[in-house]
PDB file of all heavy atoms in Angstrom:
ATOM      1  N   ILE A 220      85.539  25.981  44.482  1.00 97.00           N
ATOM      2  CA  ILE A 220      86.646  26.915  44.734  1.00 97.00           C
ATOM      3  C   ILE A 220      86.847  27.839  43.532  1.00 97.00           C
ATOM      4  O   ILE A 220      87.079  29.040  43.685  1.00 97.00           O
ATOM      5  CB  ILE A 220      87.937  26.138  45.071  1.00 97.00           C
ATOM      6  CG1 ILE A 220      87.780  25.456  46.433  1.00 97.00           C
ATOM      7  CG2 ILE A 220      89.148  27.074  45.087  1.00 97.00           C
ATOM      8  CD1 ILE A 220      88.893  24.482  46.775  1.00 97.00           C
ATOM      9  N   GLU A 221      86.726  27.286  42.322  1.00 97.00           N
ATOM     10  CA  GLU A 221      86.846  28.126  41.122  1.00 97.00           C
ATOM     11  C   GLU A 221      85.730  29.170  41.089  1.00 97.00           C
ATOM     12  O   GLU A 221      85.963  30.320  40.712  1.00 97.00           O
ATOM     13  CB  GLU A 221      86.781  27.253  39.869  1.00 97.00           C
ATOM     14  CG  GLU A 221      88.026  26.411  39.641  1.00 97.00           C
ATOM     15  CD  GLU A 221      87.878  25.495  38.439  1.00 97.00           C
ATOM     16  OE1 GLU A 221      86.738  25.042  38.170  1.00 97.00           O
ATOM     17  OE2 GLU A 221      88.900  25.221  37.774  1.00 97.00           O
ATOM     18  N   ALA A 222      84.520  28.775  41.500  1.00 96.00           N
ATOM     19  CA  ALA A 222      83.378  29.688  41.471  1.00 96.00           C
ATOM     20  C   ALA A 222      83.533  30.819  42.471  1.00 96.00           C
ATOM     21  O   ALA A 222      83.149  31.962  42.199  1.00 96.00           O
ATOM     22  CB  ALA A 222      82.086  28.915  41.739  1.00 96.00           C
ATOM     23  N   LYS A 223      84.098  30.521  43.645  1.00 96.00           N
ATOM     24  CA  LYS A 223      84.203  31.561  44.681  1.00 96.00           C
ATOM     25  C   LYS A 223      85.448  32.433  44.525  1.00 96.00           C
ATOM     26  O   LYS A 223      85.550  33.469  45.186  1.00 96.00           O
ATOM     27  CB  LYS A 223      84.178  30.933  46.081  1.00 96.00           C
ATOM     28  CG  LYS A 223      85.451  30.214  46.496  1.00 96.00           C
ATOM     29  CD  LYS A 223      85.469  29.941  47.996  1.00 96.00           C
ATOM     30  CE  LYS A 223      86.795  29.325  48.432  1.00 96.00           C
ATOM     31  NZ  LYS A 223      86.982  29.308  49.891  1.00 96.00           N
ATOM     32  N   THR A 224      86.392  32.025  43.679  1.00 96.00           N
ATOM     33  CA  THR A 224      87.624  32.809  43.502  1.00 96.00           C
ATOM     34  C   THR A 224      87.770  33.362  42.085  1.00 96.00           C
ATOM     35  O   THR A 224      88.834  33.838  41.709  1.00 96.00           O
ATOM     36  CB  THR A 224      88.858  31.947  43.830  1.00 96.00           C
ATOM     37  OG1 THR A 224      88.891  30.798  42.975  1.00 96.00           O
ATOM     38  CG2 THR A 224      88.854  31.497  45.282  1.00 96.00           C
ATOM     39  N   SER A 225      86.709  33.318  41.308  1.00 95.00           N
ATOM     40  CA  SER A 225      86.754  33.769  39.915  1.00 95.00           C
ATOM     41  C   SER A 225      87.269  35.206  39.796  1.00 95.00           C
ATOM     42  O   SER A 225      86.926  36.082  40.596  1.00 95.00           O
ATOM     43  CB  SER A 225      85.359  33.677  39.301  1.00 95.00           C
ATOM     44  OG  SER A 225      85.301  34.347  38.053  1.00 95.00           O
ATOM     45  N   ASP A 226      88.057  35.455  38.776  1.00 94.00           N
ATOM     46  CA  ASP A 226      88.558  36.808  38.502  1.00 94.00           C
ATOM     47  C   ASP A 226      87.434  37.768  38.126  1.00 94.00           C
ATOM     48  O   ASP A 226      87.601  38.991  38.191  1.00 94.00           O
ATOM     49  CB  ASP A 226      89.597  36.771  37.372  1.00 94.00           C
ATOM     50  CG  ASP A 226      90.895  36.102  37.799  1.00 94.00           C
ATOM     51  OD1 ASP A 226      91.155  36.048  39.018  1.00 94.00           O
ATOM     52  OD2 ASP A 226      91.640  35.632  36.918  1.00 94.00           O
ATOM     53  N   HIS A 227      86.287  37.221  37.723  1.00 91.00           N
ATOM     54  CA  HIS A 227      85.154  38.067  37.325  1.00 91.00           C
ATOM     55  C   HIS A 227      84.430  38.671  38.526  1.00 91.00           C
ATOM     56  O   HIS A 227      83.689  39.649  38.375  1.00 91.00           O
ATOM     57  CB  HIS A 227      84.164  37.257  36.486  1.00 91.00           C
ATOM     58  CG  HIS A 227      84.672  36.911  35.122  1.00 91.00           C
ATOM     59  ND1 HIS A 227      84.381  37.657  33.999  1.00 91.00           N
ATOM     60  CD2 HIS A 227      85.477  35.907  34.706  1.00 91.00           C
ATOM     61  CE1 HIS A 227      84.978  37.117  32.946  1.00 91.00           C
ATOM     62  NE2 HIS A 227      85.640  36.055  33.353  1.00 91.00           N
ATOM     63  N   LEU A 228      84.607  38.088  39.719  1.00 92.00           N
ATOM     64  CA  LEU A 228      83.886  38.561  40.891  1.00 92.00           C
ATOM     65  C   LEU A 228      84.456  39.872  41.405  1.00 92.00           C
ATOM     66  O   LEU A 228      85.668  40.032  41.509  1.00 92.00           O
ATOM     67  CB  LEU A 228      83.949  37.513  42.008  1.00 92.00           C
ATOM     68  CG  LEU A 228      83.191  36.203  41.761  1.00 92.00           C
ATOM     69  CD1 LEU A 228      83.426  35.244  42.920  1.00 92.00           C
ATOM     70  CD2 LEU A 228      81.702  36.456  41.570  1.00 92.00           C
ATOM     71  N   ARG A 229      83.563  40.790  41.768  1.00 89.00           N
ATOM     72  CA  ARG A 229      83.977  42.067  42.337  1.00 89.00           C
ATOM     73  C   ARG A 229      84.282  41.960  43.831  1.00 89.00           C
ATOM     74  O   ARG A 229      85.006  42.775  44.372  1.00 89.00           O
ATOM     75  CB  ARG A 229      82.889  43.126  42.122  1.00 89.00           C
ATOM     76  CG  ARG A 229      82.586  43.437  40.665  1.00 89.00           C
ATOM     77  CD  ARG A 229      81.806  44.746  40.544  1.00 89.00           C
ATOM     78  NE  ARG A 229      80.556  44.692  41.299  1.00 89.00           N
ATOM     79  CZ  ARG A 229      79.378  44.414  40.769  1.00 89.00           C
ATOM     80  NH1 ARG A 229      79.294  44.137  39.478  1.00 89.00           N
ATOM     81  NH2 ARG A 229      78.280  44.397  41.506  1.00 89.00           N
ATOM     82  N   ARG A 230      83.687  40.949  44.489  1.00 91.00           N
ATOM     83  CA  ARG A 230      83.834  40.818  45.936  1.00 91.00           C
ATOM     84  C   ARG A 230      83.987  39.353  46.325  1.00 91.00           C
ATOM     85  O   ARG A 230      83.680  38.453  45.546  1.00 91.00           O
ATOM     86  CB  ARG A 230      82.590  41.376  46.652  1.00 91.00           C
ATOM     87  CG  ARG A 230      82.271  42.800  46.326  1.00 91.00           C
ATOM     88  CD  ARG A 230      80.883  43.166  46.804  1.00 91.00           C
ATOM     89  NE  ARG A 230      80.749  43.092  48.245  1.00 91.00           N
ATOM     90  CZ  ARG A 230      79.575  43.158  48.881  1.00 91.00           C
ATOM     91  NH1 ARG A 230      78.457  43.284  48.190  1.00 91.00           N
ATOM     92  NH2 ARG A 230      79.523  43.098  50.190  1.00 91.00           N
ATOM     93  N   SER A 231      84.444  39.164  47.566  1.00 94.00           N
ATOM     94  CA  SER A 231      84.511  37.825  48.151  1.00 94.00           C
ATOM     95  C   SER A 231      83.963  37.916  49.568  1.00 94.00           C
ATOM     96  O   SER A 231      84.434  38.731  50.364  1.00 94.00           O
ATOM     97  CB  SER A 231      85.953  37.314  48.174  1.00 94.00           C
ATOM     98  OG  SER A 231      86.032  36.072  48.854  1.00 94.00           O
ATOM     99  N   TYR A 232      82.924  37.109  49.872  1.00 95.00           N
ATOM    100  CA  TYR A 232      82.345  37.161  51.214  1.00 95.00           C
ATOM    101  C   TYR A 232      81.598  35.874  51.536  1.00 95.00           C
ATOM    102  O   TYR A 232      81.259  35.086  50.653  1.00 95.00           O
ATOM    103  CB  TYR A 232      81.383  38.347  51.361  1.00 95.00           C
ATOM    104  CG  TYR A 232      80.155  38.273  50.476  1.00 95.00           C
ATOM    105  CD1 TYR A 232      79.074  37.466  50.814  1.00 95.00           C
ATOM    106  CD2 TYR A 232      80.066  39.018  49.301  1.00 95.00           C
ATOM    107  CE1 TYR A 232      77.944  37.393  50.002  1.00 95.00           C
ATOM    108  CE2 TYR A 232      78.948  38.960  48.491  1.00 95.00           C
ATOM    109  CZ  TYR A 232      77.886  38.146  48.851  1.00 95.00           C
ATOM    110  OH  TYR A 232      76.791  38.069  48.043  1.00 95.00           O
ATOM    111  N   PHE A 233      81.344  35.683  52.827  1.00 96.00           N
ATOM    112  CA  PHE A 233      80.400  34.688  53.316  1.00 96.00           C
ATOM    113  C   PHE A 233      79.455  35.406  54.259  1.00 96.00           C
ATOM    114  O   PHE A 233      79.866  36.299  55.015  1.00 96.00           O
ATOM    115  CB  PHE A 233      81.106  33.559  54.071  1.00 96.00           C
ATOM    116  CG  PHE A 233      81.999  32.723  53.217  1.00 96.00           C
ATOM    117  CD1 PHE A 233      83.365  32.907  53.239  1.00 96.00           C
ATOM    118  CD2 PHE A 233      81.469  31.764  52.377  1.00 96.00           C
ATOM    119  CE1 PHE A 233      84.200  32.149  52.447  1.00 96.00           C
ATOM    120  CE2 PHE A 233      82.290  30.998  51.570  1.00 96.00           C
ATOM    121  CZ  PHE A 233      83.658  31.187  51.606  1.00 96.00           C
ATOM    122  N   ALA A 234      78.185  35.030  54.243  1.00 95.00           N
ATOM    123  CA  ALA A 234      77.206  35.665  55.128  1.00 95.00           C
ATOM    124  C   ALA A 234      76.345  34.602  55.786  1.00 95.00           C
ATOM    125  O   ALA A 234      75.902  33.643  55.142  1.00 95.00           O
ATOM    126  CB  ALA A 234      76.323  36.635  54.339  1.00 95.00           C
ATOM    127  N   GLN A 235      76.122  34.779  57.075  1.00 96.00           N
ATOM    128  CA  GLN A 235      75.242  33.911  57.848  1.00 96.00           C
ATOM    129  C   GLN A 235      73.931  34.640  58.085  1.00 96.00           C
ATOM    130  O   GLN A 235      73.927  35.843  58.366  1.00 96.00           O
ATOM    131  CB  GLN A 235      75.888  33.549  59.189  1.00 96.00           C
ATOM    132  CG  GLN A 235      75.012  32.713  60.110  1.00 96.00           C
ATOM    133  CD  GLN A 235      75.595  32.575  61.498  1.00 96.00           C
ATOM    134  OE1 GLN A 235      76.658  33.103  61.795  1.00 96.00           O
ATOM    135  NE2 GLN A 235      74.895  31.886  62.381  1.00 96.00           N
ATOM    136  N   VAL A 236      72.818  33.949  57.992  1.00 95.00           N
ATOM    137  CA  VAL A 236      71.513  34.530  58.277  1.00 95.00           C
ATOM    138  C   VAL A 236      71.130  34.170  59.709  1.00 95.00           C
ATOM    139  O   VAL A 236      70.894  33.000  60.024  1.00 95.00           O
ATOM    140  CB  VAL A 236      70.431  34.025  57.305  1.00 95.00           C
ATOM    141  CG1 VAL A 236      69.068  34.593  57.685  1.00 95.00           C
ATOM    142  CG2 VAL A 236      70.776  34.410  55.872  1.00 95.00           C
ATOM    143  N   ILE A 237      71.088  35.179  60.580  1.00 95.00           N
ATOM    144  CA  ILE A 237      70.692  34.969  61.969  1.00 95.00           C
ATOM    145  C   ILE A 237      69.311  35.580  62.168  1.00 95.00           C
ATOM    146  O   ILE A 237      69.073  36.720  61.792  1.00 95.00           O
ATOM    147  CB  ILE A 237      71.698  35.612  62.944  1.00 95.00           C
ATOM    148  CG1 ILE A 237      73.069  34.930  62.802  1.00 95.00           C
ATOM    149  CG2 ILE A 237      71.209  35.510  64.378  1.00 95.00           C
ATOM    150  CD1 ILE A 237      74.135  35.529  63.698  1.00 95.00           C
ATOM    151  N   ILE A 238      68.399  34.814  62.753  1.00 94.00           N
ATOM    152  CA  ILE A 238      67.037  35.302  62.969  1.00 94.00           C
ATOM    153  C   ILE A 238      66.691  35.281  64.451  1.00 94.00           C
ATOM    154  O   ILE A 238      67.220  34.491  65.221  1.00 94.00           O
ATOM    155  CB  ILE A 238      65.996  34.473  62.182  1.00 94.00           C
ATOM    156  CG1 ILE A 238      66.015  33.007  62.631  1.00 94.00           C
ATOM    157  CG2 ILE A 238      66.227  34.588  60.701  1.00 94.00           C
ATOM    158  CD1 ILE A 238      64.922  32.168  61.995  1.00 94.00           C
ATOM    159  N   GLN A 239      65.796  36.187  64.815  1.00 92.00           N
ATOM    160  CA  GLN A 239      65.222  36.171  66.159  1.00 92.00           C
ATOM    161  C   GLN A 239      64.036  35.223  66.117  1.00 92.00           C
ATOM    162  O   GLN A 239      63.021  35.496  65.473  1.00 92.00           O
ATOM    163  CB  GLN A 239      64.762  37.581  66.555  1.00 92.00           C
ATOM    164  CG  GLN A 239      64.086  37.651  67.919  1.00 92.00           C
ATOM    165  CD  GLN A 239      63.589  39.048  68.234  1.00 92.00           C
ATOM    166  OE1 GLN A 239      64.249  40.023  67.951  1.00 92.00           O
ATOM    167  NE2 GLN A 239      62.393  39.131  68.812  1.00 92.00           N
ATOM    168  N   ARG A 240      64.156  34.113  66.757  1.00 91.00           N
ATOM    169  CA  ARG A 240      63.151  33.059  66.623  1.00 91.00           C
ATOM    170  C   ARG A 240      61.895  33.380  67.423  1.00 91.00           C
ATOM    171  O   ARG A 240      61.953  33.593  68.629  1.00 91.00           O
ATOM    172  CB  ARG A 240      63.737  31.706  67.035  1.00 91.00           C
ATOM    173  CG  ARG A 240      64.878  31.281  66.126  1.00 91.00           C
ATOM    174  CD  ARG A 240      65.463  29.931  66.500  1.00 91.00           C
ATOM    175  NE  ARG A 240      66.596  29.623  65.636  1.00 91.00           N
ATOM    176  CZ  ARG A 240      66.501  29.006  64.463  1.00 91.00           C
ATOM    177  NH1 ARG A 240      65.310  28.635  64.016  1.00 91.00           N
ATOM    178  NH2 ARG A 240      67.567  28.769  63.728  1.00 91.00           N
ATOM    179  N   MET A 241      60.753  33.420  66.737  1.00 91.00           N
ATOM    180  CA  MET A 241      59.459  33.621  67.382  1.00 91.00           C
ATOM    181  C   MET A 241      58.984  32.264  67.897  1.00 91.00           C
ATOM    182  O   MET A 241      58.788  31.335  67.110  1.00 91.00           O
ATOM    183  CB  MET A 241      58.456  34.198  66.377  1.00 91.00           C
ATOM    184  CG  MET A 241      58.851  35.557  65.823  1.00 91.00           C
ATOM    185  SD  MET A 241      57.760  36.089  64.471  1.00 91.00           S
ATOM    186  CE  MET A 241      56.226  36.363  65.347  1.00 91.00           C
ATOM    187  N   ASP A 242      58.797  32.165  69.184  1.00 89.00           N
ATOM    188  CA  ASP A 242      58.488  30.876  69.801  1.00 89.00           C
ATOM    189  C   ASP A 242      57.001  30.547  69.686  1.00 89.00           C
ATOM    190  O   ASP A 242      56.303  30.331  70.671  1.00 89.00           O
ATOM    191  CB  ASP A 242      58.929  30.884  71.272  1.00 89.00           C
ATOM    192  CG  ASP A 242      58.886  29.493  71.888  1.00 89.00           C
ATOM    193  OD1 ASP A 242      58.923  28.517  71.123  1.00 89.00           O
ATOM    194  OD2 ASP A 242      58.808  29.397  73.131  1.00 89.00           O
ATOM    195  N   ILE A 243      56.519  30.545  68.440  1.00 94.00           N
ATOM    196  CA  ILE A 243      55.139  30.151  68.150  1.00 94.00           C
ATOM    197  C   ILE A 243      55.169  29.297  66.890  1.00 94.00           C
ATOM    198  O   ILE A 243      56.119  29.352  66.116  1.00 94.00           O
ATOM    199  CB  ILE A 243      54.222  31.377  67.945  1.00 94.00           C
ATOM    200  CG1 ILE A 243      54.777  32.286  66.827  1.00 94.00           C
ATOM    201  CG2 ILE A 243      54.047  32.156  69.245  1.00 94.00           C
ATOM    202  CD1 ILE A 243      53.870  33.470  66.512  1.00 94.00           C
ATOM    203  N   PRO A 244      54.139  28.487  66.641  1.00 93.00           N
ATOM    204  CA  PRO A 244      54.115  27.636  65.445  1.00 93.00           C
ATOM    205  C   PRO A 244      54.172  28.456  64.156  1.00 93.00           C
ATOM    206  O   PRO A 244      53.757  29.620  64.125  1.00 93.00           O
ATOM    207  CB  PRO A 244      52.790  26.878  65.576  1.00 93.00           C
ATOM    208  CG  PRO A 244      52.449  26.933  67.040  1.00 93.00           C
ATOM    209  CD  PRO A 244      52.976  28.258  67.519  1.00 93.00           C
ATOM    210  N   GLU A 245      54.608  27.826  63.094  1.00 93.00           N
ATOM    211  CA  GLU A 245      54.748  28.504  61.806  1.00 93.00           C
ATOM    212  C   GLU A 245      53.423  29.075  61.315  1.00 93.00           C
ATOM    213  O   GLU A 245      53.373  30.183  60.771  1.00 93.00           O
ATOM    214  CB  GLU A 245      55.339  27.533  60.770  1.00 93.00           C
ATOM    215  CG  GLU A 245      55.400  28.056  59.349  1.00 93.00           C
ATOM    216  CD  GLU A 245      56.461  29.119  59.107  1.00 93.00           C
ATOM    217  OE1 GLU A 245      57.002  29.679  60.095  1.00 93.00           O
ATOM    218  OE2 GLU A 245      56.755  29.403  57.932  1.00 93.00           O
ATOM    219  N   ASN A 246      52.317  28.369  61.510  1.00 93.00           N
ATOM    220  CA  ASN A 246      51.035  28.898  61.017  1.00 93.00           C
ATOM    221  C   ASN A 246      50.635  30.178  61.739  1.00 93.00           C
ATOM    222  O   ASN A 246      50.012  31.077  61.162  1.00 93.00           O
ATOM    223  CB  ASN A 246      49.930  27.841  61.120  1.00 93.00           C
ATOM    224  CG  ASN A 246      49.667  27.383  62.546  1.00 93.00           C
ATOM    225  OD1 ASN A 246      50.487  27.605  63.435  1.00 93.00           O
ATOM    226  ND2 ASN A 246      48.538  26.728  62.773  1.00 93.00           N
ATOM    227  N   GLU A 247      51.017  30.308  63.012  1.00 94.00           N
ATOM    228  CA  GLU A 247      50.743  31.549  63.739  1.00 94.00           C
ATOM    229  C   GLU A 247      51.675  32.671  63.283  1.00 94.00           C
ATOM    230  O   GLU A 247      51.273  33.841  63.217  1.00 94.00           O
ATOM    231  CB  GLU A 247      50.880  31.329  65.245  1.00 94.00           C
ATOM    232  CG  GLU A 247      49.815  30.405  65.824  1.00 94.00           C
ATOM    233  CD  GLU A 247      49.943  30.257  67.324  1.00 94.00           C
ATOM    234  OE1 GLU A 247      50.380  31.221  67.985  1.00 94.00           O
ATOM    235  OE2 GLU A 247      49.623  29.171  67.843  1.00 94.00           O
ATOM    236  N   ARG A 248      52.912  32.320  62.982  1.00 95.00           N
ATOM    237  CA  ARG A 248      53.836  33.327  62.438  1.00 95.00           C
ATOM    238  C   ARG A 248      53.312  33.869  61.119  1.00 95.00           C
ATOM    239  O   ARG A 248      53.410  35.065  60.829  1.00 95.00           O
ATOM    240  CB  ARG A 248      55.232  32.721  62.260  1.00 95.00           C
ATOM    241  CG  ARG A 248      55.923  32.329  63.552  1.00 95.00           C
ATOM    242  CD  ARG A 248      57.407  32.082  63.340  1.00 95.00           C
ATOM    243  NE  ARG A 248      57.712  30.938  62.509  1.00 95.00           N
ATOM    244  CZ  ARG A 248      58.039  29.726  62.958  1.00 95.00           C
ATOM    245  NH1 ARG A 248      58.061  29.498  64.268  1.00 95.00           N
ATOM    246  NH2 ARG A 248      58.337  28.756  62.131  1.00 95.00           N
ATOM    247  N   ILE A 249      52.750  32.988  60.301  1.00 96.00           N
ATOM    248  CA  ILE A 249      52.204  33.414  59.003  1.00 96.00           C
ATOM    249  C   ILE A 249      51.118  34.462  59.193  1.00 96.00           C
ATOM    250  O   ILE A 249      51.113  35.512  58.534  1.00 96.00           O
ATOM    251  CB  ILE A 249      51.659  32.193  58.222  1.00 96.00           C
ATOM    252  CG1 ILE A 249      52.835  31.349  57.684  1.00 96.00           C
ATOM    253  CG2 ILE A 249      50.754  32.642  57.071  1.00 96.00           C
ATOM    254  CD1 ILE A 249      52.415  30.045  57.051  1.00 96.00           C
ATOM    255  N   ARG A 250      50.177  34.196  60.068  1.00 95.00           N
ATOM    256  CA  ARG A 250      49.069  35.137  60.287  1.00 95.00           C
ATOM    257  C   ARG A 250      49.578  36.487  60.794  1.00 95.00           C
ATOM    258  O   ARG A 250      49.149  37.542  60.335  1.00 95.00           O
ATOM    259  CB  ARG A 250      48.069  34.551  61.284  1.00 95.00           C
ATOM    260  CG  ARG A 250      47.276  33.384  60.729  1.00 95.00           C
ATOM    261  CD  ARG A 250      46.225  32.886  61.705  1.00 95.00           C
ATOM    262  NE  ARG A 250      45.454  31.822  61.098  1.00 95.00           N
ATOM    263  CZ  ARG A 250      44.415  32.001  60.292  1.00 95.00           C
ATOM    264  NH1 ARG A 250      44.006  33.246  60.031  1.00 95.00           N
ATOM    265  NH2 ARG A 250      43.767  30.993  59.762  1.00 95.00           N
ATOM    266  N   LEU A 251      50.492  36.442  61.725  1.00 94.00           N
ATOM    267  CA  LEU A 251      51.016  37.662  62.323  1.00 94.00           C
ATOM    268  C   LEU A 251      51.766  38.518  61.304  1.00 94.00           C
ATOM    269  O   LEU A 251      51.558  39.740  61.208  1.00 94.00           O
ATOM    270  CB  LEU A 251      51.942  37.296  63.482  1.00 94.00           C
ATOM    271  CG  LEU A 251      52.523  38.447  64.295  1.00 94.00           C
ATOM    272  CD1 LEU A 251      51.424  39.188  65.038  1.00 94.00           C
ATOM    273  CD2 LEU A 251      53.566  37.926  65.285  1.00 94.00           C
ATOM    274  N   LEU A 252      52.630  37.882  60.516  1.00 96.00           N
ATOM    275  CA  LEU A 252      53.460  38.615  59.564  1.00 96.00           C
ATOM    276  C   LEU A 252      52.684  39.015  58.310  1.00 96.00           C
ATOM    277  O   LEU A 252      52.964  40.054  57.708  1.00 96.00           O
ATOM    278  CB  LEU A 252      54.683  37.780  59.193  1.00 96.00           C
ATOM    279  CG  LEU A 252      55.615  37.432  60.363  1.00 96.00           C
ATOM    280  CD1 LEU A 252      56.745  36.522  59.910  1.00 96.00           C
ATOM    281  CD2 LEU A 252      56.178  38.698  60.999  1.00 96.00           C
TER     282      LEU A 252
END
């Protein structure tokens, strides 16, 4: 709580990472990307 409310911080936020899931195995995703 001290870390997220510090007076030194310029902003306060939370962010969620949402991804479009590719329905293929990880090794195939690696080759494609």
